[in-house]
Amino acid sequence: MVRELPKTDVVIVGAGWTGLAAAKELADAGQRCVVIERGDWRHDASNFGAPEEHDELKYARRKEHMIDTQTKTLSFRNSSDQTALPMRRLGSFLPGKGLGGAGIHWNGQLWRPLPSDLKMRSHYADRYGEAILDGLNVQDWGVTYDELEPHLDFFDRVCGTAGVAGNLNGETKEGGNPFEGPRSADYPNPPMKASPPLQLFQKTAQEMGYHPFQMPSANVTKAYENAYGAQLHPCTYCGFCERFGCGYYAKADPIICIYDVVKDHENFELRMNSQVLRVEKSADGKTATGVTYLDERGQEVFQPADTVCLNAYALWNVHLMLVSGLGKPYDPETGEGTVGRNYAYQTLAAAGVFFDKEVWSNPFMGAGALGMTIDDFNGDNFDHTDLGFVGGGYISANQTNGRPINYHPTPPDTPSWGPEWKKAVRENYLHHVGIVCHGSSVAVPGNYLDLDPTYKDAYGQPLLRMTFDFPENDRRMSAYVLSKAEEIARNMDNVRAVSTVNRAAEGESYSVVPYQTTHNTGGAVIGTDPTTSVVNRYGQMWDHHNVFVFGACLFPQNLGYNPTGPLMGLAYWTLDHMKNDYLQNPRPLMDA
Amino acid sequence: MKLARTTLLAILTIGLGPVAIVQAQDSGGEPGMNELERRLNVDSVMFNATIDQKPDNDLLELGRLVAMGSAEQGGSGMACITCHGVDGQGDGSAAFPRLDGQAGWYLFKQLQDYASGDRPNRVMTGIAQRLTEREREAVAAYYATMPAGDLKTAHGDIDGRVLQWGGQLAAVGSAEKGIPACVNCHGAQGTGLPPSVPYLAGQYAGYMQLQLELWKEGTRDNDAMDVMSTIADKMSKEDMRAVAEYYARVSNPADEGPEPEVDYDMPAAE
């Protein structure tokens, strides 16, 4: 017997960045919000304090902040002629769970999309001709940079982002990223301190004619009161961002930036340890009526609501749509249907730089977004004529951590174990920096998400099935950007050796085993054409107008940037249209 | 009277080797020089953050002279031991912090900051200004080499609930007030994280509470990342008192330094 609760105005699935932002904005707008989160309550002060939090084995290796694959996972295959198998251990990407979601264990690398990224198809077609996009499902986002800018700016003020503006109201500024879209205001905080390897990268990149700048960082550099009145503290460069929560109040996260200021709101209710099973639809199928979930005692509960917000992790939003029958599932055979279509990832490669004894990197002093970056080979910031690919990536010397289990840089030709390996680790640990190539990922017809025909999760629902391999376009892009990174590495002073790794190397299939990045995108993409997008340009489902979708599942293809900044810009854009238009008169905001 | 006595001490102690010293306070005596030398290699003593060379015996000897009131530029005018004690354990009044076994680089930086005015203090600024940089290093190393250990000073009566609140702030902070826990930086047991983070365990409560107040009002503002003023800003006077009284009671056991090297006689095989 399913227990039915009193109706609420808005039900929000997931208490991460987008879910808590939605709750705060909609509660302030007079909407009664119920947020349903599958994981535990936790807080930066009481749960993420050092020294317990700095337990690399527990959090980085055993991944205790992340989703538990015994209850919830997906199955994976490289292509549709293979049989997918369940991913029984986390590897390539790390979806979170619990209050704050994956937003507590991000690195804080906070980017904006390029203006041309958001109209990728029309931009490339205009500049190079349609043929350059042959075989790719590259699309325009349907929303422009100028439309998103106020919302991207607002999120900078939620996080207290640290950086140097490169384009302030159209004026190019020294020391910033000259390729970025115009900012309406400067970064709220000054950039992070640059360590010696970052300074060397900056010098060399400058000498080579590139435009280095400090990576925009949500590791806050000064005491800061955010846009909601929450107090953030300065970063101590402890080197435990990625995979860890921050007990210093220094890495912007959904708990300290938003939850703390909404938790006592009369319109806010948070239900923890509750697993949403499906979104229920009205008899005519045109609207959603609420969500059914398992409460903390394992009992099935129906929460009716006027409006449903899907704020789970990108992959789980798509899964929820598929098991609930929302939208039309994508069929790779015919190319029809949209839910699960345009799944994309992030294309990563890196050059390792080994310095002589003159240069000390001291990698244990790091921060998730401590980096010196060039954007010269990202997006369409460079001429793609005759290169054979679209897209690109940023190149960044990053000093994120020097954790004892994970961080053992050794130069090429070092044995992988034994006394020689140990000697190499001793000699290089303090004299190394990694230069990452953080590349875009195009959507192609053969990469998609659907439901697995065989395997089920702990709730008896079919697993989400991921079919993905790196498209040829991205392999060419990655090799090209990596060659540029390697060139910079070799030109730096005091360099003894350079190593390279390319996850999208020619001839190798994508593997879900080695960690790459938790930047899964697409599957429920935004757009202006219902045959190629799940939601309209306001994040509203074409097929069910009272369902709004948030997160990186909206990306038509993945950017060369980390997704949190862009997806939060989209979230505030959607919330703006909900508050100021939809809620007064619920209806489809665009004609299909 | 006390000043006169310590000046005399300073003269007496110029010279090498163990010298019998009248105690500036009752508890403990000056640790033996050999013992201090052995501790020069302890991480918390080493200045690996700023100077190229490890502290050596010469530095330690100079540090001892400075502590006793002697110095190149006519001395500080006051011997450190007057207020901080020969053993660095303070005079028990809680007005002066104990320095024994405190992180060496931290002590040095405080002297630098007193001298530059970054940490203004009516007494210490003048003293620090009259020391050379080398002397500041030396006296910092000297006190850093003393093993900390628990003081035998009595603590006043206090409501157990205040101590419990202090312990909670120390261990898990306050999610309600947005106060991060002290253990984040000052170590699980409050014994500090050298080179830059001082210990709190066993420090005098009065001193710690005053420092939190100074951080809050902005008089003290000299930590590298500007973390402390942000934290203190969120604390009430009661919070400060609670956490200071708590840490004053936390054990800071003497660090014996590295194991002395011992030649073992292999037992004969049976």
Side-chain angles (χ1 to χ4, degrees):
Chain A
M1 181 65 196
V2 177
R3 187 161 56 102
E4 181 168 337
L5 298 174
K7 193 173 180 182
T8 185
D9 294 331
V10 183
V11 65
I12 294 169
V13 182
W17 267 125
T18 63
L20 290 171
K24 168 69 178 149
E25 295 293 323
L26 297 175
D28 282 348
Q31 297 284 305
R32 281 171 296 135
C33 296
V34 172
V35 181
I36 302 179
E37 164 59 47
R38 66 158 66 92
D40 292 324
W41 187 91
R42 53 191 180 175
H43 197 281
D44 300 44
S46 40
N47 296 75
F48 304 149
E52 283 90 347
E53 183 67 11
H54 294 184
D55 184 337
E56 186 180 5
L57 186 64
K58 184 173 179 181
Y59 295 111
R61 309 301 295 185
R62 295 177 180 161
K63 307 184 177 93
E64 295 207 6
H65 288 318
M66 287 50 156
I67 198 99
D68 175 10
T69 54
Q70 304 222 338
T71 13
K72 183 90 181 171
T73 188
L74 47 77
S75 66
F76 170 76
R77 58 184 181 174
N78 281 123
S79 59
S80 46
D81 57 358
Q82 297 174 335
T83 303
L85 291 172
M87 189 173 78
R88 295 179 191 273
R89 274 191 193 183
L90 291 175
S92 172
F93 45 86
L94 306 172
K97 67 160 189 216
L99 185 60
I104 68 107
H105 74 253
W106 71 319
N107 261 333
Q109 304 178 358
L110 210 175
W111 293 93
R112 295 177 173 203
L114 295 167
S116 58
D117 283 338
L118 298 179
K119 41 179 185 173
M120 190 167 176
R121 173 160 287 275
S122 46
H123 173 87
Y124 275 92
D126 282 353
R127 186 168 173 187
Y128 306 100
E130 287 275 356
I132 197 170
L133 298 167
D134 279 353
L136 309 179
N137 279 358
V138 165
Q139 296 175 196
D140 288 359
W141 293 49
V143 52
T144 66
Y145 177 85
D146 289 343
E147 287 171 323
L148 284 189
E149 204 286 331
H151 308 291
L152 296 164
D153 179 67
F154 183 74
F155 189 57
D156 275 337
R157 262 143 254 289
V158 170
C159 291
T161 320
V164 184
N167 181 341
L168 203 52
N169 293 310
E171 195 184 326
T172 305
K173 308 293 277 187
E174 193 69 30
N177 177 7
F179 300 101
E180 69 177 357
R183 291 174 177 274
S184 56
D186 206 342
Y187 283 100
N189 281 307
M192 304 202 81
K193 297 171 190 292
S195 61
L198 270 54
Q199 293 172 25
L200 284 178
F201 176 89
Q202 180 182 34
K203 175 172 166 280
T204 307
Q206 237 152 20
E207 285 166 2
M208 294 173 73
Y210 303 139
H211 303 84
F213 58 95
Q214 282 222 239
M215 178 181 282
S217 167
N219 315 137
V220 182
T221 51
K222 280 189 153 178
Y224 181 71
E225 183 177 317
N226 85 352
Y228 293 128
Q231 304 282 336
L232 306 184
H233 294 198
C235 175
T236 62
Y237 299 74
C238 79
F240 286 83
C241 279
E242 163 195 273
R243 307 190 187 190
F244 303 87
C246 178
Y248 303 93
Y249 278 64
K251 177 175 72 175
D253 74 31
I255 301 174
I256 55 170
C257 291
I258 305 178
Y259 169 75
D260 276 350
V261 293
V262 72
K263 65 178 191 293
D264 297 327
H265 201 294
E266 57 179 356
N267 290 332
F268 176 77
E269 188 188 340
L270 177 64
R271 295 186 196 146
M272 305 302 300
N273 303 109
S274 298
Q275 170 74 38
V276 175
L277 298 175
R278 62 193 166 271
V279 179
E280 307 291 354
K281 291 187 290 189
S282 59
D284 64 2
K286 289 194 185 310
T287 53
T289 55
V291 302
T292 299
Y293 68 95
L294 288 178
D295 69 10
E296 56 192 347
R297 290 169 302 172
Q299 292 179 347
E300 219 167 294
V301 179
F302 175 57
Q303 173 61 65
D306 287 332
T307 308
V308 175
C309 291
L310 300 186
N311 301 75
Y313 187 65
L315 296 167
W316 313 136
N317 267 353
V318 176
H319 185 245
L320 205 47
M321 289 179 194
L322 291 169
V323 296
S324 307
L326 297 184
K328 188 180 175 198
Y330 173 65
D331 179 351
E333 297 290 321
T334 63
E336 287 173 9
T338 52
V339 180
R341 182 176 175 275
N342 278 29
Y343 170 73
Y345 193 45
Q346 199 91 64
T347 317
L348 291 192
V353 184
F354 297 86
F355 298 108
D356 62 25
K357 302 291 181 225
E358 296 296 307
V359 178
W360 293 76
S361 52
N362 288 350
F364 44 83
M365 289 189 278
L370 180 58
M372 190 67 73
T373 312
I374 63 165
D375 221 15
D376 296 67
F377 298 101
N378 205 351
D380 194 35
N381 295 340
F382 57 109
D383 187 357
H384 284 75
T385 308
D386 297 331
L387 290 179
F389 64 84
V390 297
Y394 66 72
I395 298 173
S396 188
N398 289 350
Q399 190 161 329
T400 60
N401 76 85
R403 297 194 304 262
I405 301 175
N406 182 62
Y407 191 85
H408 297 140
T410 53
D413 303 324
T414 306
S416 56
W417 58 281
E420 286 303 308
W421 177 80
K422 289 179 183 170
K423 183 162 168 277
V425 171
R426 274 198 300 277
E427 285 174 356
N428 291 288
Y429 177 84
L430 296 171
H431 307 281
H432 165 269
V433 75
I435 300 179
V436 68
C437 302
H438 191 272
S440 57
S441 177
V442 293
V444 292
N447 287 340
Y448 63 98
L449 305 170
D450 65 354
L451 291 177
D452 191 280
T454 311
Y455 295 97
K456 290 184 165 45
D457 63 22
Y459 311 104
Q461 296 187 314
L463 296 189
L464 184 73
R465 179 171 66 177
M466 175 189 291
T467 305
F468 180 81
D469 206 345
F470 292 115
E472 285 307 313
N473 176 84
D474 295 349
R475 293 176 188 278
R476 289 191 286 268
M477 179 278 298
S478 195
Y480 180 80
V481 178
L482 178 59
S483 74
K484 301 295 179 188
E486 194 180 349
E487 212 179 319
I488 299 171
R490 294 199 186 283
N491 282 338
M492 285 165 73
D493 293 337
N494 301 87
V495 171
R496 284 187 301 120
V498 174
S499 67
T500 58
V501 57
N502 185 356
R503 295 292 180 201
E506 282 298 334
E508 284 176 43
S509 289
Y510 166 67
S511 166
V512 284
V513 177
Y515 182 74
Q516 285 153 71
T517 180
T518 309
H519 302 168
N520 312 82
T521 67
V525 315
I526 193 168
T528 51
D529 177 353
T531 64
T532 57
S533 57
V534 172
V535 301
N536 64 26
R537 75 188 211 101
Y538 304 109
Q540 177 187 42
M541 284 195 82
W542 291 108
D543 295 348
H544 319 279
H545 72 76
N546 65 341
V547 179
F548 288 83
V549 183
F550 296 79
C553 58
L554 300 174
F555 296 7
Q557 54 273 330
N558 202 2
L559 307 155
Y561 300 112
N562 309 54
T564 305
L567 73 85
M568 286 305 288
L570 284 174
Y572 281 113
W573 154 263
T574 292
L575 292 166
D576 187 21
H577 287 275
M578 287 177 76
K579 286 189 302 183
N580 297 314
D581 188 355
Y582 178 79
L583 291 171
Q584 288 83 13
N585 177 18
R587 69 200 187 284
L589 294 173
M590 285 179 78
D591 293 329
Chain B
M1 186 60 210
K2 195 172 183 183
L3 191 63
R5 191 183 63 183
T6 47
T7 311
L8 180 68
L9 280 175
I11 296 163
L12 279 175
T13 52
I14 296 174
L16 295 175
V19 177
I21 293 174
V22 181
Q23 296 303 314
Q25 60 184 68
D26 293 339
S27 62
E30 187 197 21
M33 211 56 180
N34 292 343
E35 172 60 21
L36 294 189
E37 281 169 19
R38 190 166 68 78
R39 289 176 41 83
L40 279 173
N41 288 325
V42 174
D43 280 348
S44 62
V45 176
M46 285 163 53
F47 284 67
N48 52 3
T50 53
I51 64 173
D52 295 334
Q53 287 173 329
K54 284 184 189 175
D56 57 15
N57 295 351
D58 291 346
L59 190 74
L60 206 55
E61 196 54 50
L62 177 61
R64 195 161 77 141
L65 290 179
V66 174
M68 304 305 167
S70 166
E72 206 173 285
Q73 298 176 357
S76 62
M78 286 180 84
C80 310
I81 60 170
T82 313
C83 301
H84 295 287
V86 172
D87 52 14
Q89 294 186 346
D91 65 355
S93 73
F96 311 106
R98 55 186 296 203
L99 309 177
D100 51 326
Q102 193 55 279
W105 186 80
Y106 170 78
L107 291 177
F108 170 65
K109 181 172 186 299
Q110 301 315 304
L111 286 170
Q112 295 287 81
D113 291 350
Y114 281 130
S116 72
D118 282 352
R119 182 179 175 181
N121 180 286
R122 229 154 25 94
V123 179
M124 285 306 299
T125 296
I127 291 173
Q129 282 172 347
R130 285 191 292 273
L131 296 174
T132 65
E133 188 164 314
R134 175 75 178 162
E135 287 166 345
R136 291 176 204 148
E137 280 178 20
V139 74
Y142 174 75
Y143 278 115
T145 51
M146 311 256 179
D150 290 327
L151 302 186
K152 292 188 180 66
T153 42
H155 300 290
D157 287 338
I158 191 164
D159 187 334
R161 283 166 299 190
V162 174
L163 276 190
Q164 194 167 17
W165 175 237
Q168 186 176 329
L169 285 174
V172 294
S174 165
E176 284 303 312
K177 294 186 161 193
I179 301 171
C182 310
V183 297
N184 261 312
C185 297
H186 292 276
Q189 311 298 326
T191 47
L193 279 182
S196 56
V197 184
Y199 68 68
L200 307 176
Q203 185 57 277
Y204 292 107
Y207 168 74
M208 287 190 284
Q209 187 180 338
L210 175 64
Q211 295 311 303
L212 285 167
E213 286 166 15
L214 293 176
W215 289 113
K216 182 167 185 163
E217 70 182 39
T219 308
R220 186 174 178 187
D221 195 15
N222 69 327
D223 62 331
M225 302 303 169
D226 198 21
V227 169
M228 280 310 301
S229 55
T230 322
I231 295 169
D233 205 40
K234 293 176 173 178
M235 298 175 78
S236 67
K237 203 154 185 163
E238 269 310 295
D239 295 335
M240 295 176 181
R241 175 162 172 268
V243 78
E245 291 289 352
Y246 168 77
Y247 268 120
R249 288 164 173 79
V250 172
S251 174
N252 189 348
D255 175 359
E256 298 302 328
E259 286 293 307
E261 284 182 34
V262 180
D263 289 327
Y264 289 101
D265 289 329
M266 291 298 288
E270 291 183 14

